[in-house]
Structure formats: C-alpha cells, structure tokens
Amino acid sequence: MVHEHSADPAAATVNRLSVRNIRKKFGSLEVLRGISLEAHDGDVISILGSSGSGKSTFLRCINLLEIADEGEIWVDGEHINMVRKHGRNVPASSKQVDHIRAELGMVFQSFNLWSHMTILQNLIEGPVHVLKRPRAECIAEAEALLEKVGIAEKRHAYPAHLSGGQQQRAAIARSLAMKPKVMLFDEPTSALDPELVGEVLRVMRSLAEEGMTMLVVTHEMNFARDVSNRVVFMREGLIDCDGSPAEMFSGATSPAFRQFIGNFRG
Amino acid sequence: MWIIEVLGFGQQGWGGLLIAGALMTLCVTIVALLLGAVLGTMVAWAKLSGNRVLSALGNTYTTVFRGVPELLIIYLIYFGGSGAVTAIGRYLGYEGFLGLPSFAAGALAVGIISGAYQAEVYRGAFLAIPKGELEAAEAIGMHRGLRFRRIIAPQVLRFAIPGIGNVWQLSLKDSALVSVTGLADLMRTSQVAAGSTRQYFLFFIAGGCLYLVLTSLSDRLFNRAERRANRSMPSSLGHA
C-alpha cells in the first residue's frame, strides 16, 4: 500500500526503513540534531553511543512513540504523513500511525509484557485484536514462536513468574507474532543479570541469521561486532561515524568512537 | 420464648420486616455503588485528563463530596430535590407537597458520595499500571479504544478491588442515613420495631447483627475477587 510519496529517491528504491534528517527537541534540549539512516532487507544495524547520545530517542521516533519535530520516515516504502503544527511535525493520521507501528516490532529494555495476561495471551493479543486474525491460527503460530525462543513450557505462566531473560524472550516472541517488517531493540539486555544476557542474545542472533531486518540499540560490543553488518556510532544527537563492524573496530575511525570502545575494554 | 416471637416470622414477629429491611439496604447500596462507579470513572478520567478545567472540576467534586457530612448531602438531595419537584408541580398547577421517591433520592445521595471515593480509587489504580505496558500497547499498534479495553480497564479493576471493597462497606453504612427520608431500610425498620415494642436493646442489636452479616459476607466476596485478580501477581508464586 503506497501513501502519497514525495518525489524522493529514498522512496524509489524500496528500503525496509528510511529515515531522513530527523530532529527532536525536548524543551530547549536538542536530543536529535539531524539523523538519516537506511536499512535494507536483512540489515542488522547496531546503534552504539554513550547515554544521552540520543540513540533510544532515535529508535522511539521511528515507531512514533516520540514524534520527531522534523524529518521524514518511510517504512517499507510507505511514507509517514505529517502535518506542521506550531512549527513541528504531527502525524496526519492516527490510523496510519497504528498501522505503521503494527509493522515495526519493538523490544523494550524493561520487557513491558502485559502483566495481567499469560505469556500465550501476550503473544496473541496483537495478532487477534490489532490484525484481527483468527484466534486458532494465532495460537498455533504463537506456540511455535514460544518453542523457537525456548519457553514453550511457560505459555500459561504470567510474566511476573518468569526470569528476566525468559520475559525478554517472550517479549521478542510477542513482537515477532505481528510478523513485523523491521524489529527495533531498545537496549534489550541492559536490565538483565549478566548470566541471563546470553540467552536473549542467542535468540537475536538466530533472528539475524534468518534475515530479519533489525535496528539494535545496545552496549553489547560482541553482538555489534559479530552479528550486525553495520555499526552506527551516535554522539550528541548526530551520527558520528558508521560502517561495517570490520571497519569500525579496526581502529581507523573517529577519535570519539575509539575512546568510546576503549572505555569498554577497560 | 417472647424473643423468638417478636423476632420470628409469625403474626407478632418482626423477622420478615427486618429481613426485608436488610434487602432494601442491600439494594440501595448496590444501586449507589453502580452509580458511584459511573461517576467515579468520569471524575477519575477528568482528573487524569491533563486538561486544566476538567481536572479542576474533578478536584472540586472529590473535595466537596468527601468533605461534607453524608447526612447533609442526603437532606440536600431529598428535601432540596423535593422542593424543586414541588415548585415544578406548582408551576404545572398542582398544589401541595411533592416528595422525591425516597429510594431514588437515597441511592442518588449515597451514589454521589461513593463516586467521590471511587474516583480516587480508580485514579490510584490507573497510576499503578506500569507505564511501559501502556507503551508496549501503543507500540504494537493498538488504537486508544483498544488500549483502554484490553490493557487499562482490566488492570484498573484489578488494582481497584481492595479500594472498592472499602468503599462498598462505607456505602453500606452510609445507606443507614437514608432512613431519615422514611425509606424502610434496615436502620429504619429496626427503629420502628424497637419503638413499637419498646424492646430497644433487642431490635438495635438484631439490626446491628444483620448489618454485620451483610458486611462480612460482602467482605468474603471481595476477598475472593481479590485473590482471583491477583493470580498474575508476583506474590501469588507457588499458589498459581
């Protein structure tokens, strides 16, 4: 489905995701100062940066949890329509916002599973009530997804009765149940105990291997280096440098990035 | 023997009337609680809306109806309302006093007060929902109505049950004040029975016991609802 395209090369070659010159201010604080990014089918892009560099805000602007003041976004070739109000962008249609969000999977740092529903109910909620698909079909798919992320035996448990790692895997499965075009991960392992990080990263790695298009805000350097095909380093609301993991970690990048990864090596 | 006779269900007995009074009390309270739920939801929504005028209105409502004695509200609605009805009657050519039905006036008064307390219960329950869960609902593409129906309402109810149980007990006892309008509720019936038999101790104690039966039975009901609603909470681990 194509909504009024502006004559733009980004829309012509259909990327999974195109972001053009996003800007966002909170009060007088300019958090994003002009970010552009393209994700092709199957791209796994790690977004690195110290806290306050704007990487989470950037991700939240893509699925419209925050509305960027300026800039344009295409999801799978569909332009998100904005109107200007008081000098900033406002979505033209809340229907389109819901439809775009349904196409983007979002995984949060704090899991955010719905606590009054069992794991299985969490998984079928979106497909049944947002996509309005037949319940029996959704249940079958949800059980397969739970099998895949390794928590099939927890399908009738409530989120509060699962470990953090299990909850995050359930949250990933909940997003996948919507059959998203792009998956967005907002520091998916930052709230986990160290021994639980591995099980979540394994699920993400297998998703990447299946060709899912992913944007991952993370502090996991090994994931960025080994799993992603592109690394973006954000600093003070701008993309400081980006490239393949080989280029980025070879040392021939910006001084700021060298210093950033230096901190991780301790 | 005479105790059984006056409390019994025979010709001389007040038992049937007392039971009827207790049922009347129960009816007034149920209607008041439902009315209060509607009012309370609206007031809570107004207070949470972020709109300055609406939240000022909501604040005024809860301040006034929690701050003024219940009896005064009941007088205001029963006599004030009757006055208004009489005035309208006179305008339409009917001479004489027209009373508001005492059941309607009583349920309305207790309902309005109950609404003020329920508004605070619902507001607190809404604020107890983790913000991230609402965000996850937005992120999956739920529109506003769906978020309310699937994520907000069930959780507000769950968090509100203990508070509503409390409001229910308050309303049940407030409903005794409705007896001033002549409604044959449990309070009024006990009073009439005590007066006409001159067995004050006996009938006020019997009335008190019936109130206790109502409150303790409903308490048990609310406890069961609370346990059921908390199946998904961390503290129910092991009993799930």
Side-chain angles (χ1 to χ4, degrees):
Chain A
M1 196 165 57
V2 178
H3 285 246
E4 59 172 270
H5 277 174
S6 35
D8 195 297
T13 59
V14 174
N15 290 324
R16 284 294 184 191
L17 185 71
S18 297
V19 178
R20 180 70 51 86
N21 202 27
I22 288 279
R23 286 172 175 272
K24 177 72 183 172
K25 258 189 193 171
F26 289 115
S28 62
L29 183 69
E30 199 166 18
V31 181
L32 300 177
R33 301 192 290 152
I35 304 265
S36 299
L37 189 79
E38 320 246 296
H40 303 279
D41 193 25
D43 270 353
V44 178
I45 302 175
S46 288
I47 302 169
L48 308 178
S50 47
S51 64
S53 60
K55 49 198 195 315
S56 284
T57 304
F58 174 53
L59 215 59
R60 292 166 61 82
C61 282
I62 294 174
N63 78 347
L64 307 165
L65 282 177
E66 307 284 355
I67 305 299
D69 302 331
E70 285 175 47
E72 296 185 80
I73 300 171
W74 290 260
V75 175
D76 212 30
E78 181 180 342
H79 182 246
I80 302 177
N81 298 313
M82 295 284 173
V83 290
R84 297 294 283 179
K85 234 180 224 170
H86 307 299
R88 55 173 61 186
N89 278 348
V90 176
S93 142
S94 67
K95 251 202 170 112
Q96 193 196 18
V97 169
D98 291 337
H99 155 74
I100 290 287
R101 281 170 172 165
E103 291 190 334
L104 296 169
M106 179 82 173
V107 175
F108 298 89
Q109 180 177 349
S110 49
F111 330 133
N112 296 350
L113 291 167
W114 296 304
S115 55
H116 60 302
M117 298 181 188
T118 66
I119 298 301
L120 187 65
Q121 286 167 342
N122 264 278
L123 260 70
I124 64 170
E125 183 66 21
V128 170
H129 292 281
V130 177
L131 303 179
K132 303 202 162 57
R133 295 181 44 215
R135 192 181 184 85
E137 217 173 84
C138 298
I139 290 177
E141 285 179 16
E143 291 191 327
L145 279 171
L146 287 175
E147 194 79 48
K148 184 169 144 182
V149 301
I151 48 171
E153 79 285 359
K154 298 287 184 192
R155 61 182 176 279
H156 296 309
Y158 286 96
H161 301 163
L162 268 58
S163 73
Q166 290 170 331
Q167 286 192 52
Q168 193 60 297
R169 285 186 280 155
I172 293 172
R174 174 176 68 177
S175 291
L176 291 174
M178 295 291 284
K179 301 189 177 157
K181 303 261 169 66
V182 180
M183 286 284 282
L184 310 173
F185 293 85
D186 187 8
E187 302 199 27
T189 58
S190 298
L192 296 174
D193 292 337
E195 76 270 21
L196 301 177
V197 169
E199 61 191 58
V200 171
L201 289 180
R202 266 196 297 282
V203 168
M204 290 169 61
R205 177 190 286 261
S206 78
L207 265 183
E209 283 163 1
E210 286 167 25
M212 176 61 80
T213 310
M214 298 161 62
L215 255 62
V216 186
V217 169
T218 187
H219 291 294
E220 293 292 328
M221 289 302 141
N222 290 333
F223 181 88
R225 185 168 37 215
D226 302 341
V227 181
S228 49
N229 64 339
R230 205 157 137 224
V231 175
V232 171
F233 176 59
M234 281 182 64
R235 187 168 157 259
E236 291 168 4
L238 288 168
I239 292 182
D240 182 81
C241 57
D242 73 304
S244 71
E247 290 163 2
M248 292 291 281
F249 289 98
S250 65
T253 44
S254 81
F257 185 60
R258 275 203 302 278
Q259 193 192 348
F260 175 76
I261 54 176
N263 292 341
F264 274 84
R265 289 186 182 126
Chain B
M1 266 326 277
W2 61 270
I3 290 184
I4 295 172
E5 205 161 291
V6 287
L7 282 181
F9 297 90
Q11 284 251 300
Q12 307 294 314
W14 285 84
L17 287 173
L18 282 176
I19 299 290
L23 289 178
M24 180 60 84
T25 287
L26 200 61
C27 283
V28 172
T29 312
I30 288 172
V31 172
L33 197 81
L34 293 178
L35 182 67
V38 175
L39 290 171
T41 307
M42 279 162 41
V43 172
W45 171 78
K47 287 179 106 168
L48 289 164
S49 67
N51 178 311
R52 223 186 292 161
V53 178
L54 280 176
S55 65
L57 280 174
N59 280 327
T60 308
Y61 185 96
T62 48
T63 307
V64 168
F65 291 110
R66 289 190 307 168
V68 171
E70 283 88 342
L71 192 56
L72 193 147
I73 307 284
I74 291 168
Y75 279 145
L76 192 70
I77 287 177
Y78 182 64
F79 292 111
S82 298
V85 170
T86 306
I88 292 169
R90 192 165 304 146
Y91 177 75
L92 295 174
Y94 181 87
E95 293 297 322
F97 181 79
L98 280 174
L100 219 56
S102 50
F103 182 91
L108 183 64
V110 178
I112 287 172
I113 297 158
S114 169
Y117 287 97
Q118 287 190 54
E120 294 300 277
V121 171
Y122 295 137
R123 195 173 65 90
F126 177 82
L127 295 175
I129 302 175
K131 207 170 154 280
E133 292 187 29
L134 301 179
E135 235 171 34
E138 278 186 67
I140 211 159
M142 288 190 185
H143 58 80
R144 190 192 284 256
L146 198 55
R147 289 202 300 270
F148 180 79
R149 190 157 58 81
R150 301 292 308 170
I151 310 298
I152 296 174
Q155 301 219 59
V156 164
L157 275 183
R158 174 176 77 174
F159 290 126
I161 287 172
I164 296 299
N166 217 0
V167 173
W168 163 262
Q169 294 239 346
L170 283 176
S171 299
L172 195 75
K173 290 187 293 174
D174 282 354
S175 76
L177 298 170
V178 175
S179 61
V180 299
T181 65
L183 184 73
D185 73 330
L186 181 52
M187 185 69 211
R188 174 83 184 155
T189 311
S190 310
Q191 215 175 352
V192 170
S196 58
T197 59
R198 303 196 180 272
Q199 299 292 337
Y200 295 103
F201 256 125
L202 179 69
F203 279 102
F204 285 129
I205 286 172
C209 287
L210 282 173
Y211 271 110
L212 277 176
V213 168
L214 288 180
T215 49
S216 54
L217 283 182
S218 52
D219 214 27
R220 199 175 289 185
L221 223 63
F222 274 101
N223 280 338
R224 189 179 298 176
E226 195 179 330
R227 260 205 312 281
R228 211 185 122 70
N230 281 348
R231 279 174 312 180
S232 62
M233 302 300 270
S235 57
S236 72
L237 193 57
H239 315 282

